[in-house]
Amino acid sequence: MIIKNKYFKNVLLLCSFIVLSLIFIYPLAKTNAVYFSDDMFFHLQRIKEIAENAKSGNYFVGIYTHTFGKTGYPLNLFYPWVTILPFSLFSLLCSNQALAVYLGVAFYTFLTLNFTYLTVKKYSQNGVQAYITACLYAFSSYRVIDAFTRFALGEYIALTFLPLCIYGLYAIAKGNYRDWPYLAFGFSFVLLSHLLSVVLISILLVVLLAVLIPHMNNIKQRITAFLKAIIVSILSSAVFVFPFIEQELFQKYPQPDVTDLTVGALLPTKFISASLNNNLSRVDSGNTYNIGIVILLVIVLGLVTWRKLKRDYRVMYLMGLMFTMLSTSLVPWSLLQNTPLSIIQFPWRFLGIATLLFSVVGGASVYQFLQIDKLNSATLAVSLIGVTILILLPFISSMNQLKGTMLTTEQLVTYNKNGRFVFSGIDRAGRIGLFHFENYTPLKGQRAVEDLYNHKAYVDGKAKRVNVETSENYLTIKSNHFVNGKDIVLPVMNYKNLEITDSNGGKVKFGTDNYDRLRVKSAGRITTFKISYHPSLIDYLAVIISCLTWLTAIVIWTYRRISGWGRFSK
């Protein structure tokens, strides 16, 4: 509306998103360190493992050989890894490893701004409203808490693709059903980021579908579009889903990190107080995860402009209230503890969904409140800049307060620019606990986890500490005690597609003990075993299917963009 030249406007828009993404990371990035948060140690190990494997030419990481205590932990087979790749790429490109992490965070903030702007503009046909919504969502307190306070990298990345999911389902059910790829790839990349977010977003999509079904027309075309979205989503996420299913069918595993849902439900009064204070601090410092003062003001503004808002925005407002309520103790979560819903672990995860819904309503409410459609270009530009600054000010203030709490002497872990973890006030047992080994250790092996990270083997029934080294894509286990051993239990759990070779490169037959650890009998005069993950046919097919799906989508999108430019120029 301000700038008439389409291409200059797009370039200016992208530049503003780049600047905003850098503002998002600047308060902490300038310290050259990443500070302790709930999942920081866990995710930085993942980033490092993928980067180290890439150096040796291994791009499908089956077992972790460089990190997680060199235990052969097959984390990538159980925890989505594709969307971690940009972080690992920055790690390889940057000498400053702390900066590399923050650049990864900035990259997904940039995508969040773009995806939110794109989808809201397609829905509302209003670029100014879309821009305000994008800023509200990207700088919302919950996203900041996910990124820095919790460093819940999987969930943080999944929130990037949430706008694509919502718009995609809306397009299929009520809008332009030819936009079904938004749902297909949006949901796929949520799945490739964080499994628990798949559950949460599925709940949202079911609610949204229930709201939209009464308004559907062209039923046949819309059902066809929905089926296309499902099929393409499966193909796109095959690179993780197929190997995951293969492992899950191989043996039994416990439910990861079972928690008390009641404990994770927010107290309404404390939630409102934390939001008013825009408090980004961790829960163990007495804070409650919240939606922040900006989104709280959006809720109030939504009531002020209620009569001017279209019906769809009113529905989104009510859905936002519903998902906010689901995060609190107003819901009897104790009754749901023994249901499949307990997998979400913390009810306050619903705040991510509520934040996006309120951000969309916020863009429409600000547009109506300021009567932007009646402003001239100069006044519009000033108003847009003013709104952006008002969104950024609470963020900047709260980030400085958060930085102050992170830099205290009570800090447990710091990840410095050289890529090293600096521990303070945490012993080895505490570090091991940050790995969450029990989550993806076979059910039979839960009682033997300690032997893995202590590198304790058993030779003819006697416990022996062994040397474990990283050798390219192998775990190399060495011990002179193996020479005369007839029954050797190695400190590595059994998973499908593992392979053991001796120092001469010959394959070694193996079984398992009662705890599902790798067991070798009559090894002869061998002192060294190499354990590696040998991708199965399913693994190879999964990689090929997903890569072809992404490549096809890129080619079709590029072709249509070029064709569109041609028509525009004519």
Side-chain angles (χ1 to χ4, degrees), residues 29-232:
K30 67 179 182 179
T31 66
N32 279 323
V34 182
Y35 301 96
F36 182 73
S37 44
D38 297 0
D39 298 331
M40 179 268 268
F41 191 57
F42 178 82
H43 287 300
L44 291 186
Q45 294 274 291
R46 296 175 63 210
I47 294 168
K48 183 177 180 180
E49 183 70 35
I50 293 173
E52 290 297 325
N53 273 268
K55 291 178 183 178
S56 58
N58 181 31
Y59 302 102
F60 185 90
V61 182
I63 58 173
Y64 280 22
T65 58
H66 299 81
T67 58
F68 283 83
K70 299 179 182 179
T71 59
Y73 199 41
L75 190 55
N76 279 11
L77 301 177
F78 295 91
Y79 201 110
W81 56 274
V82 171
T83 51
I84 286 292
L85 291 175
F87 285 88
S88 296
L89 177 61
F90 285 124
S91 176
L92 293 172
L93 295 176
C94 298
S95 57
N96 185 329
Q97 292 302 292
L99 177 61
V101 173
Y102 288 117
L103 287 177
V105 172
F107 172 74
Y108 279 106
T109 296
F110 177 73
L111 288 186
T112 299
L113 287 162
N114 276 280
F115 291 161
T116 307
Y117 176 85
L118 171 64
T119 52
V120 174
K121 186 180 179 183
K122 286 182 72 68
Y123 169 74
S124 66
Q125 297 298 307
N126 190 311
V128 175
Q129 180 178 321
Y131 189 86
I132 295 171
T133 299
C135 292
L136 284 171
Y137 183 52
F139 286 88
S140 62
S141 289
Y142 190 77
R143 276 193 80 255
V144 176
I145 288 170
D146 257 1
F148 302 122
T149 310
R150 295 183 58 226
F151 204 80
L153 212 53
E155 184 178 348
Y156 168 75
I157 296 173
L159 290 174
T160 302
F161 305 101
L162 179 56
L164 301 179
C165 295
I166 293 179
Y167 172 74
L169 186 65
Y170 168 84
I172 290 173
K174 187 179 177 182
N176 180 7
Y177 56 81
R178 293 182 180 84
D179 278 346
W180 61 264
Y182 284 87
L183 177 60
F185 288 101
F187 194 81
S188 168
F189 276 86
V190 168
L191 201 158
L192 293 173
S193 304
H194 191 234
L195 286 179
L196 296 188
S197 291
V198 172
V199 178
L200 297 170
I201 292 173
S202 295
I203 294 172
L204 166 65
L205 295 181
V206 169
V207 173
L208 188 59
L209 191 61
V211 172
L212 293 173
I213 282 178
H215 305 281
M216 287 180 64
N217 54 22
N218 301 318
I219 304 297
K220 182 179 179 181
Q221 291 90 334
R222 295 188 185 281
I223 291 177
T224 301
F226 189 63
L227 292 175
K228 288 179 182 177
I230 292 174
I231 293 170
V232 172

Side-chain angles (χ1 to χ4, degrees), residues 27 129 212 257 364 381 435 490 548:
Q129 180 178 321
L212 293 173
D257 289 334
F435 287 135
L490 301 173
L548 286 177

Side-chain angles (χ1 to χ4, degrees), residues 1 223 309 329 382 467 492 530:
M1 292 175 66
I223 291 177
L309 293 176
S329 58
V382 172
N467 294 321
V492 178
K530 290 184 177 181

Side-chain angles (χ1 to χ4, degrees), residues 477-543:
I477 301 178
K478 297 180 178 180
S479 176
N480 291 329
H481 297 292
F482 294 158
V483 174
N484 299 315
K486 296 182 179 180
D487 184 6
I488 301 172
V489 176
L490 301 173
V492 178
M493 286 293 169
N494 183 39
Y495 297 94
K496 191 170 180 61
N497 305 326
L498 290 189
E499 187 176 274
I500 302 179
T501 56
D502 58 28
S503 53
N504 298 318
K507 287 187 179 181
V508 177
K509 292 182 179 181
F510 65 92
T512 58
D513 71 343
N514 293 334
Y515 295 111
D516 225 17
R517 292 172 293 194
L518 300 182
R519 187 176 195 171
V520 178
K521 286 186 174 287
S522 301
R525 301 188 63 80
I526 294 176
T527 60
T528 303
F529 294 100
K530 290 184 177 181
I531 302 172
S532 62
Y533 181 86
H534 185 72
S536 66
L537 178 61
I538 291 176
D539 294 332
Y540 284 119
L541 285 176
V543 173

Side-chain angles (χ1 to χ4, degrees), residues 349-555:
R349 291 186 192 273
F350 284 112
L351 290 179
I353 294 173
T355 294
L356 177 57
L357 293 170
F358 283 132
S359 295
V360 177
V361 175
S365 296
V366 171
Y367 191 88
Q368 293 296 336
F369 184 76
L370 297 179
Q371 297 183 331
I372 286 179
D373 55 329
K374 298 179 181 179
L375 302 180
N376 59 44
S377 296
T379 308
L380 174 58
V382 172
S383 299
L384 196 57
I385 292 172
V387 170
T388 305
I389 291 174
L390 288 175
I391 293 171
L392 292 178
L393 284 178
F395 164 79
I396 294 172
S397 176
S398 296
M399 282 298 291
N400 286 329
Q401 293 178 359
L402 177 65
K403 184 172 64 175
T405 63
M406 285 183 157
L407 294 174
T408 63
T409 55
E410 297 175 357
Q411 195 57 55
L412 299 180
V413 183
T414 302
Y415 185 74
N416 64 27
K417 65 179 181 179
N418 296 320
R420 294 188 179 89
F421 291 101
V422 179
F423 295 93
S424 175
I426 182 171
D427 56 16
R428 184 173 182 271
R431 301 179 205 175
I432 297 299
L434 298 175
F435 287 135
H436 299 285
F437 276 131
E438 68 282 356
N439 284 354
Y440 307 114
T441 294
L443 200 58
K444 292 194 299 182
Q446 292 293 310
R447 294 172 59 186
V449 171
E450 187 175 344
D451 287 343
L452 304 186
Y453 55 75
N454 285 328
H455 298 158
K456 186 185 294 184
Y458 288 84
V459 181
D460 295 330
K462 296 180 180 179
K464 303 291 183 182
R465 186 173 176 82
V466 297
N467 294 321
V468 179
E469 301 173 358
T470 297
S471 177
E472 296 181 350
N473 304 322
Y474 298 87
L475 269 185
T476 303
I477 301 178
K478 297 180 178 180
S479 176
N480 291 329
H481 297 292
F482 294 158
V483 174
N484 299 315
K486 296 182 179 180
D487 184 6
I488 301 172
V489 176
L490 301 173
V492 178
M493 286 293 169
N494 183 39
Y495 297 94
K496 191 170 180 61
N497 305 326
L498 290 189
E499 187 176 274
I500 302 179
T501 56
D502 58 28
S503 53
N504 298 318
K507 287 187 179 181
V508 177
K509 292 182 179 181
F510 65 92
T512 58
D513 71 343
N514 293 334
Y515 295 111
D516 225 17
R517 292 172 293 194
L518 300 182
R519 187 176 195 171
V520 178
K521 286 186 174 287
S522 301
R525 301 188 63 80
I526 294 176
T527 60
T528 303
F529 294 100
K530 290 184 177 181
I531 302 172
S532 62
Y533 181 86
H534 185 72
S536 66
L537 178 61
I538 291 176
D539 294 332
Y540 284 119
L541 285 176
V543 173
I544 293 171
I545 289 171
S546 289
C547 288
L548 286 177
T549 303
W550 301 334
L551 181 61
T552 302
I554 292 170
V555 169

